[in-house]
Amino acid sequence: MKSLLKFPFPLRLASLKSGLFWRTFFLLGALTTTSMTAWVGMISVVQHEPQVQQISAQVISVVTITHAALTHAAPELRRELLFDLVANEGIRVFTLEEDDQVAPPANNALMPDIEQLVRAKLGQDTRFSSKVNGVSGFWVSFKIDDDQYWLMLERERIRGLTGIQWLGWASVVSVVSLLGAAFISSLINLPLRRLTQATRDFAQGKRPAPLPERGPAEIMEANRSFNQMVTDLQQVESDRAVILAGISHDLRTPLARMQLELEMANLSTDAREGMQSDIGQMDAIIGQFLDYAKPTEASSFVNVDISELLTDTAHEAARLPDVRINTDIAPDAHAMGNATDIKRVINNLIENARRYGRTADADYTEIDIKCSVKGMHAAKRVTIEVQDHGVGVPPDQIEQLLKPFTRLDAARGQANGAGLGLAIVDRVITRHGAELNVRNREGGGLQIQIVMKAL
Ligand SMILES: Nc1ncnc2c1ncn2[C@@H]1O[C@H](COP(=O)(O)OP(=O)(O)O)[C@@H](O)[C@H]1O
Ligand SMILES: [Mg+2]
């Protein structure tokens, strides 16, 4: 109970929408209802005989005693005796007339057996009724000498539980068991939801708070393993970042030195330019390593004006040689993110289009940059599209290209890439909780679509 109260309210509310919650709830509800019905059935079978016995004995003794009292009482005291019986015992005695309006006895499972037992004791001509002359009760006839009398017992004296009482108890039991069912299903459901939420957060690059390592053994074990996994993965991640950054940094120092030495060396212009371009490419590749190693922290996200960012990037790219940029950018598209990282993504895509997406039968690359905002409120999305008019990529290799260090055969000849560009794109986009779609454009060329949650 204690742990349940600690959960944040939205989490509990969310669990009401879950299929698992309702499935467990209905299963438990059906089980308790069935077992309750079975119990009631069983009890009434087992109770039948004792109840018949008890009620018959009661009726017999009341009639016998009344009979004895009436026969032995002095005639002048009979009236008083009858008064006493009504006042103290709820018993009334009337003379039985032939023209009495007699309703048949109550129609329940006990009555036939009771009649049989009572008749065996009081005589086969004993009559029973549930209502005589409009007065309801438990009516039984008896004889004093040749005169017939009715004896009326108030019904409450005989019956155990009334229908209303049964209904009351049944509803108390069902409410309690339904509450129990709800509690049990949330007990199972909540840890699962927490685990799912934490996994989702982790996948989006957030650092989930450690899951509580308490409660039932299975849940505790699952939470502990999850916490351990998160810690391990974070360790691996930060180790890798440190190693990559270290190597890249240490490589850049000698490269800078080589660059200097090259300027001063006595070389032909061709050789110098060739080496300078090589060094430039190596430097760019190291830059990509650093980008790839750099973590994107969801905690550093701010409101980014995507429209402005795309317009700026497109302007810069338009200055590159052999590039024509077409833009179709909706104004005022905003999303939470890291502007530098998003810009890096777009630049990577433009660079790829420039390198691998040259427009067929032309000596330039045509790149379309689009941005649109669709949907309302929570479903509002910013869609960014970068596409070229080149040859595209074989569809079965698209998935593969997002992995680090993968390049198509045709690209291998070019030294100026390590196959990290799209891996960086994929990583940054995932960390932004956005969706990346890579596909071949109809009519040739590669189309990259990024769908972000809009503000
Ligand atoms: N616009 C494009 N058109 C055709 N092929 C592309 C395009 N963009 C990327 N590719 C292919 O995907 C591969 C991986 O790209 P990327 O991850 O950026 O690595 P790199 O640019 O370093 O080769 C490229 O080598 C190229 O073969
Ligand atoms: Mg690239």
Side-chain angles (χ1 to χ4, degrees):
M1 262 304 187
K2 207 167 117 246
S3 64
L4 181 76
L5 295 175
K6 273 195 184 164
F7 291 126
F9 186 61
L11 205 61
R12 270 193 285 161
L13 206 65
S15 76
L16 293 183
K17 287 190 219 138
S18 117
L20 184 63
F21 175 86
W22 287 115
R23 213 188 298 178
T24 327
F25 178 76
F26 280 125
L27 187 67
L28 286 172
L31 268 175
T32 38
T33 314
T34 320
S35 66
M36 233 170 63
T37 320
W39 264 104
V40 169
M42 214 166 81
I43 287 175
S44 58
V45 167
V46 173
Q47 280 281 66
H48 182 86
E49 194 56 37
Q51 253 180 321
V52 167
Q53 295 277 1
Q54 191 199 339
I55 296 174
S56 313
Q58 203 181 351
V59 171
I60 292 166
S61 67
V62 166
V63 172
T64 320
I65 291 169
T66 315
H67 184 275
L70 285 174
T71 37
H72 294 109
E76 63 277 14
L77 292 177
R78 268 194 200 147
R79 268 183 68 84
E80 228 165 295
L81 178 68
L82 288 178
F83 262 130
D84 251 22
L85 281 177
V86 174
N88 299 329
E89 310 294 335
I91 296 170
R92 296 175 196 218
V93 179
F94 303 90
T95 47
L96 190 151
E97 310 289 349
E98 278 319 311
D99 56 355
D100 282 342
Q101 285 171 357
V102 181
N107 182 18
N108 64 36
L110 302 178
M111 217 40 218
D113 293 344
I114 294 176
E115 284 175 28
Q116 205 186 345
L117 280 182
V118 175
R119 282 199 179 113
K121 268 276 189 278
L122 300 183
Q124 286 307 318
D125 52 357
T126 309
R127 293 170 66 181
F128 295 87
S129 167
S130 59
K131 197 185 227 181
V132 175
N133 296 331
V135 183
S136 8
F138 185 96
W139 294 79
V140 54
S141 71
F142 67 98
K143 263 190 194 163
I144 301 180
D145 303 330
D146 280 338
D147 298 327
Q148 295 244 40
Y149 294 89
W150 279 118
L151 185 145
M152 192 206 93
L153 286 165
E154 271 156 25
R155 225 179 243 131
E156 289 71 45
R157 276 180 60 102
I158 314 182
R159 241 202 259 143
L161 283 173
T162 66
I164 301 290
Q165 277 170 315
W166 264 117
L167 210 67
W169 279 111
S171 34
V172 166
V173 171
S174 15
V175 166
V176 167
S177 52
L178 285 185
L179 282 180
F183 176 63
I184 292 173
S185 27
S186 57
L187 218 58
I188 300 170
N189 216 25
L190 280 173
L192 255 182
R193 280 201 70 78
R194 259 187 308 179
L195 190 61
T196 317
Q197 186 62 45
T199 318
R200 199 177 294 140
D201 285 352
F202 189 61
Q204 285 173 0
K206 292 183 202 150
R207 197 198 165 105
L211 295 173
E213 292 180 10
R214 54 183 155 76
E218 291 81 0
I219 290 167
M220 196 169 72
E221 192 51 43
N223 285 0
R224 183 174 296 155
S225 313
F226 180 82
N227 290 343
Q228 184 65 45
M229 184 195 77
V230 170
T231 321
D232 288 354
L233 281 177
Q234 272 164 349
Q235 189 60 42
V236 167
E237 179 100 334
S238 73
D239 284 356
R240 193 184 50 183
V242 168
I243 292 170
L244 266 176
I247 293 176
S248 308
H249 180 262
D250 291 354
L251 281 175
R252 271 194 164 158
T253 321
L255 269 186
R257 244 188 340 255
M258 279 167 80
Q259 185 89 40
L260 261 178
E261 281 159 10
L262 195 60
E263 309 255 314
M264 292 184 289
N266 193 7
L267 284 172
S268 70
T269 322
D270 271 2
R272 174 174 299 136
E273 277 174 3
M275 284 178 80
Q276 268 172 345
S277 132
D278 282 350
I279 289 175
Q281 280 173 13
M282 282 165 83
D283 196 57
I285 291 175
I286 291 171
Q288 293 231 301
F289 269 100
L290 282 173
D291 286 347
Y292 186 69
K294 190 179 151 300
T296 303
E297 288 289 348
S299 53
S300 69
F301 285 176
V302 291
N303 183 349
V304 179
D305 186 339
I306 304 283
S307 309
E308 194 186 305
L309 184 146
L310 286 180
T311 314
D312 289 353
T313 316
H315 267 299
E316 285 161 25
R319 286 204 288 272
L320 293 168
D322 313 331
V323 168
R324 288 188 194 177
I325 309 262
N326 310 315
T327 52
D328 177 8
I329 300 171
D332 280 331
H334 289 263
M336 288 301 282
N338 179 316
T340 321
D341 285 343
I342 298 176
K343 194 158 182 176
R344 182 173 293 134
V345 162
I346 308 298
N347 277 329
N348 264 322
L349 297 178
I350 293 176
E351 184 59 28
N352 276 354
R354 216 165 70 87
R355 275 192 208 153
Y356 316 113
R358 173 146 302 203
T359 307
D361 307 325
D363 55 355
Y364 57 85
T365 306
E366 197 177 343
I367 305 174
D368 307 333
I369 301 179
K370 292 184 198 165
C371 173
S372 59
V373 185
K374 291 201 184 78
M376 298 284 279
H377 308 297
K380 199 170 164 193
R381 297 283 180 275
V382 177
T383 307
I384 305 173
E385 266 173 27
V386 177
Q387 63 181 31
D388 58 57
H389 298 254
V391 290
V393 294
D396 55 325
Q397 302 216 22
I398 289 180
E399 274 286 300
Q400 202 61 32
L401 291 178
L402 298 180
K403 303 222 168 83
F405 308 112
T406 32
R407 315 184 71 202
L408 289 185
D409 283 340
R412 281 196 203 286
Q414 307 187 21
N416 47 4
L420 276 175
L422 288 178
I424 294 170
V425 170
D426 187 37
R427 185 174 255 248
V428 171
I429 295 307
T430 310
R431 286 292 157 92
H432 276 77
E435 194 185 311
L436 177 70
N437 300 312
V438 182
R439 59 173 95 90
N440 283 314
R441 196 184 71 92
E442 265 176 57
L446 195 68
Q447 183 190 62
I448 284 116
Q449 191 185 51
I450 297 162
V451 185
M452 302 181 83
K453 209 165 157 8
L455 279 179

